[in-house]
Amino acid sequence: MRSEFRFGLLVAAVVWVAACGGKKEEAAEAPKPEEKVLFVYNWSDYIGETTIAEFEAKTGIKVTYDVFDSNEVLETKLLAGKTGYDVVVPSANFLERQIQAGVFLPLDKSKLPNLVNMDPDIMQRVAAHDAGNDHSINYLWGTTGVGYNPDLVKKALGTDTLDSWSAVFDPAIAKKLAKCGISMLDAPSEVMDSALIYLGRDPNSEKAEDLAAAEELLMKVRPYVRYFHSSQYINDLATGEICVSLGWSGDVLQARDRGAEAEKPVRVAYTIPKEGAIMWFDMLAIPTDAPHPGNAHEFLNFIMDPAVAGGISNYVAYANGNAASLPLVSEDLRNDPSVYPTPEVKQKLHAHLAESQEFSRDLNRAWTRVRTGQ
Amino acid sequence: MSRNARAVGDSSPFVLAELMAWIKALGPYRWASNRLRSRGMTGRTAVISVPYLWLSLFFLVPFLIVFKISVSDIRLGMPPYDPLITWASAQVMELKVNLGNYAFLWEDALYRNAYANSILTAGISTILCLLIGYPMAYGIARSKPSWRNLLLLLVMLPFWTSFLLRVYAWIGILKNNGLINNLLMSMGVIDEPIVMLQTNFAVYLGIVYSYLPFMVLPLYTAIEKLDLTLLEAAADLGCRPVKAFFKITAPLTKGGIVAGSMLVFIPAVGEFVIPALLGGPGSLMIGRVLWEEFFNNRSWPIASAVAIAMLVVLVFPIWILQRVQGREMGAHR
């Protein structure tokens, strides 16, 4: 019996050593010309209907397109390494930390002639996360605000317009809305930051007292929150299953479009609360161990084509960082202040910086207490 | 059918035997088999070692890797934990073992609550499965033999659809705009939809629904083997049916009860998908806590410690139970 066990261990050890040895050999291989394939990992519901097909037709590169719905999932895969993806789309605050961890390839800007189309203002804002814009380009950007169903809200509150964070953060109001359903993103930093904005504090604060204040506020409204989820609310807003969501601008606007198309139309609206909001950027980047970096550059350049970027914005209802595409964005969207905010609203939008590792733990711990009520 | 099988079987052992004789005559085979036999390796031990090999490859090795991560330090990088062994110089090896991750689990009430809540949820689900599954299994085992296979097939039929899809289907049934609420509202039974989705009720429903077949099948096997004459004897001696059930049927099908309960309880403790899809924000389960440690905190070491601790929490009672059972089985013999 014991000898068999030892034998098993021995075999396991041999397999292990063989596996480790294999890795080194792989690295020593000479670079081969890239196969005509590309692996893209993007957010769910986050690309034009025909974008991928157009890219394939233009370049002959076959795209495998996968989706995720949380930065955390993407980050864990990236940190584990060997994701097999060539292009990924983290938010800027996550990208900032991932660059420090050595996850991304510096971009070869000579392969990206379409960089001239990018909006200098947006480039400058994201340079706060990615110095010199060396590792990433902006894909789309938006705000974290309040999406709601005016008809259901009117039934509950007597008014059909919401313009303040109080809809989700004031217990008295949230209580009235609880019956028709409140949802919040399951994204700790975004919800906590929004709570701090409502409280008139600095959303990027890492002070314990600020976190405690945000937690206390959320604890009071959590009994009225139906669920915390980062993608389900799109459908639920569109079908009237819930009436108020703390959510991402474009997602709510997608819900608005789906709701309008439904057999029994459902109205959905989005507001950037008057207290201010978080402005976030989703960035295209190439992992260090991407198997097809050449194709990935080609894809990035393709996305920066004004017609392509405009087409994506028109479909997903998010603003893009491509200045040259603005004339190609539909008038409705371009003039919609909830997508392209007015300059005075833009002043109230806060950047969303990466947290330190220590604060991250405290934040997530507080978030678990909020989510579970214990 | 059986005749055909024998006809095929008749010729193949003959060919096989010839082949074996030929192999055995080969020098290298004789050398190798003598070598192995001198070390206590015979054909039988070789066969037995296959499952050991399997377990060590797919259980022991991953377990050791997880254990290794659970005693390492977190860092910002790929992978996001420090190596245990570093070479300070060519000869000096530094081994750093961080037991703080386990201490951390003990200090924060979150983890204890999550373990307790998971075990409670799994326990209640198991009892519900048993209460529903036992009559089902009993019914199937006592039905006409021609019906049994059909009924068993019906129990297993849901497995032909993806587990995830079946859980998603419950969302459609339970939600405010869903099947049940729309039906009740159109019949005028209720005016306002009953909130069922994202509640603990939905979690129990999901777990019981998903794991019921795992309870029914072992129970069916145990009940089917039950000797009916024992019940007849009990009735002849004046024992009431209810008493006979608890005195005879239940003890004799204990093996099935234990096996079914284990098959439901163990996966239910670590269940992640059902609480995530059907549960409300308050359902704190250890699977979810582990997910958060891993994904939100990027703390692979703590997540690994949570996993190891869960294994210890689960394995110990199961081991005791098996020993007790094993002793009882021995006593019967």
Side-chain angles (χ1 to χ4, degrees):
Chain A
M1 204 74 147
R2 207 183 300 148
S3 72
E4 280 148 22
F5 179 70
R6 254 191 247 146
F7 178 66
L9 269 187
L10 184 75
V11 170
V14 169
V15 170
W16 195 334
V17 169
C20 295
K23 254 184 235 164
K24 271 172 214 147
E25 270 168 40
E26 224 169 274
E29 261 175 46
K32 281 181 283 185
E34 274 175 31
E35 221 181 317
K36 285 271 188 190
V37 291
L38 183 73
F39 293 86
V40 178
Y41 198 38
N42 194 2
W43 292 81
S44 53
D45 306 303
Y46 210 45
I47 197 159
E49 226 171 349
T50 55
T51 313
I52 295 292
E54 282 165 25
F55 176 73
E56 288 181 333
K58 192 179 170 195
T59 59
I61 294 170
K62 175 95 185 63
V63 177
T64 304
Y65 186 80
D66 290 342
V67 298
F68 57 89
D69 82 339
S70 92
N71 266 309
E72 287 82 6
V73 170
L74 170 65
E75 181 166 74
T76 305
K77 289 199 178 194
L78 288 172
L79 290 178
K82 293 216 179 254
T83 54
Y85 291 113
D86 299 302
V87 176
V88 294
V89 195
S91 301
N93 54 325
F94 280 80
L95 173 105
E96 186 181 338
R97 194 166 43 214
Q98 288 151 11
I99 290 173
Q100 289 165 29
V103 170
F104 295 118
L105 206 66
L107 296 179
D108 181 351
K109 290 184 182 171
S110 67
K111 289 184 186 164
L112 303 170
N114 279 339
L115 270 174
V116 292
N117 297 328
M118 299 304 283
D119 182 344
D121 173 49
I122 299 288
M123 291 281 266
Q124 201 192 331
R125 280 181 187 252
V126 296
H129 305 282
D130 175 16
N133 303 107
D134 281 343
H135 298 84
S136 62
I137 58 167
N138 177 242
Y139 179 56
L140 297 168
W141 59 270
T143 50
T144 304
V146 176
Y148 61 100
N149 179 323
D151 300 320
L152 291 176
V153 167
K154 182 151 197 189
K155 249 193 242 168
L157 297 181
T159 170
D160 65 353
T161 39
L162 296 177
D163 64 348
S164 160
W165 282 118
S166 63
V168 289
F169 290 140
D170 182 339
I173 299 178
K175 189 176 180 183
K176 290 183 191 154
L177 292 169
K179 261 211 176 133
C180 61
I182 298 176
S183 88
M184 285 190 185
L185 293 173
D186 192 2
S189 55
E190 257 139 317
V191 178
M192 289 288 195
D193 289 0
S194 301
L196 285 174
I197 291 173
Y198 173 65
L199 291 172
R201 301 186 186 218
D202 171 17
N204 285 307
S205 160
E206 295 204 352
K207 281 190 216 144
E209 57 181 81
D210 286 336
L211 180 62
E215 185 185 339
E216 200 194 323
L217 178 73
L218 282 164
M219 272 304 197
K220 285 192 199 133
V221 292
R222 81 158 286 285
Y224 312 121
V225 175
R226 177 88 57 81
Y227 62 79
F228 296 89
H229 198 283
S230 302
S231 57
Q232 199 180 332
Y233 69 100
I234 305 178
N235 261 328
D236 287 352
L237 271 180
T239 56
E241 179 75 19
I242 55 172
C243 61
V244 177
S245 281
L246 188 164
W248 289 307
S249 50
D251 281 1
V252 175
L253 298 174
Q254 276 183 54
R256 179 187 66 187
D257 293 347
R258 282 189 206 173
E261 284 164 12
E263 222 167 291
K264 281 186 278 174
V266 174
R267 283 208 299 151
V268 177
Y270 176 76
T271 183
I272 298 174
K274 60 183 183 210
E275 294 91 348
I278 287 292
M279 181 184 193
W280 46 260
F281 305 91
D282 284 333
M283 312 296 294
L284 295 166
I286 306 173
T288 320
D289 50 13
H292 313 97
N295 297 346
H297 277 88
E298 218 167 316
F299 185 75
L300 261 54
N301 199 45
F302 175 79
I303 294 289
M304 287 189 290
D305 184 290
V308 174
I312 295 172
S313 282
N314 284 336
Y315 188 70
V316 299
Y318 278 104
N320 63 56
N322 195 315
S325 78
L326 199 58
L328 301 168
V329 173
S330 72
E331 210 165 323
D332 288 354
L333 204 63
R334 206 187 327 150
N335 297 330
D336 188 338
S338 56
V339 181
Y340 285 93
T342 57
E344 66 233 50
V345 171
K346 232 175 173 176
Q347 270 187 340
K348 285 194 206 155
L349 296 179
H350 301 266
H352 186 195
L353 301 174
E355 305 103 23
S356 67
Q357 177 69 40
E358 298 76 48
F359 182 72
S360 197
R361 169 163 284 284
D362 293 342
L363 174 71
N364 288 318
R365 184 69 185 83
W367 181 245
T368 306
R369 278 195 294 268
V370 168
R371 214 173 33 78
T372 61
Q374 52 185 307
Chain B
M1 174 111 161
S2 67
R3 194 178 298 154
N4 275 345
R6 201 176 299 138
V8 174
D10 273 346
S11 61
S12 60
F14 182 67
V15 178
L16 254 178
E18 218 174 321
L19 192 71
M20 280 306 289
W22 184 73
I23 291 173
K24 278 180 180 169
L26 276 174
Y29 174 83
R30 280 216 303 262
W31 179 82
S33 71
N34 283 340
R35 262 315 179 72
L36 287 173
R37 202 166 296 143
S38 68
R39 287 164 175 256
M41 280 284 283
T42 60
R44 198 166 57 160
T45 51
V47 169
I48 296 172
S49 68
V50 170
Y52 275 93
L53 203 69
W54 180 268
L55 272 180
S56 49
L57 254 183
F58 297 108
F59 177 75
L60 192 64
V61 173
F63 176 81
L64 288 176
I65 293 173
V66 172
F67 183 74
K68 184 194 90 170
I69 298 175
S70 80
V71 292
S72 56
D73 275 330
I74 187 170
R75 68 159 184 182
L76 185 61
M78 299 167 69
Y81 56 89
D82 278 332
L84 278 192
I85 296 169
T86 45
W87 295 92
S89 69
Q91 281 89 35
V92 183
M93 189 180 84
E94 272 180 0
L95 177 71
K96 199 163 77 176
V97 174
N98 178 8
L99 292 174
N101 296 328
Y102 288 95
F104 186 82
L105 291 191
W106 185 246
E107 281 157 18
D108 196 330
L110 168 78
Y111 303 97
R112 269 174 285 159
N113 289 342
Y115 281 121
N117 198 32
S118 296
I119 288 172
L120 182 74
T121 307
I124 293 175
S125 306
T126 308
I127 292 168
L128 289 174
C129 271
L130 189 64
L131 290 179
I132 300 167
Y134 203 100
M136 269 176 83
Y138 199 90
I140 296 172
R142 291 284 165 275
S143 63
K144 271 192 231 152
S146 54
W147 275 87
R148 274 182 218 165
N149 280 340
L150 181 71
L151 292 173
L152 278 180
L153 187 74
L154 286 177
V155 170
M156 287 183 280
L157 207 59
F159 286 122
W160 288 3
T161 316
S162 151
F163 164 73
L164 201 60
L165 283 181
R166 283 182 282 132
V167 176
Y168 259 106
W170 277 109
I171 297 180
I173 296 170
L174 296 176
K175 68 180 181 181
N176 283 5
N177 259 332
L179 210 61
I180 296 178
N181 274 320
N182 280 347
L183 189 72
L184 289 179
M185 271 160 65
S186 68
M187 290 197 314
V189 182
I190 48 169
D191 300 324
E192 297 255 301
I194 309 167
V195 178
M196 286 179 286
L197 195 60
Q198 281 114 21
T199 61
N200 280 342
F201 163 73
V203 175
Y204 285 124
L205 185 78
I207 294 179
V208 170
Y209 163 76
S210 303
Y211 291 116
L212 194 59
F214 295 110
M215 180 64 92
V216 172
L217 296 178
L219 279 176
Y220 166 79
T221 324
I223 296 170
E224 207 227 348
K225 270 191 266 169
L226 189 71
D227 187 354
L228 280 180
T229 53
L230 291 175
L231 290 175
E232 274 170 32
D236 287 348
L237 294 171
C239 184
R240 287 167 189 278
V242 177
K243 199 177 173 192
F245 175 82
F246 286 105
K247 282 264 170 190
I248 299 167
T249 313
L252 284 179
T253 52
K254 207 171 86 184
I257 294 173
V258 171
S261 301
M262 286 287 158
L263 283 177
V264 173
F265 181 77
I266 294 170
V269 171
E271 185 54 58
F272 172 72
V273 173
I274 295 171
L277 289 178
L278 303 179
S283 54
L284 177 72
M285 302 264 292
I286 201 68
R288 174 79 202 205
V289 168
L290 200 152
W291 197 93
E292 271 167 14
E293 281 300 336
F294 198 72
F295 288 95
N296 292 13
N297 290 342
R298 294 173 299 283
S299 180
W300 293 22
I302 299 265
S304 304
V306 169
I308 299 266
M310 177 155 83
L311 208 64
V312 171
V313 165
L314 278 184
V315 160
F316 200 63
I318 292 165
W319 181 66
I320 299 256
L321 198 80
Q322 290 221 317
R323 284 199 57 142
V324 170
Q325 243 205 323
R327 207 172 294 152
E328 268 178 21
M329 298 269 272
H332 279 306
R333 257 178 238 149

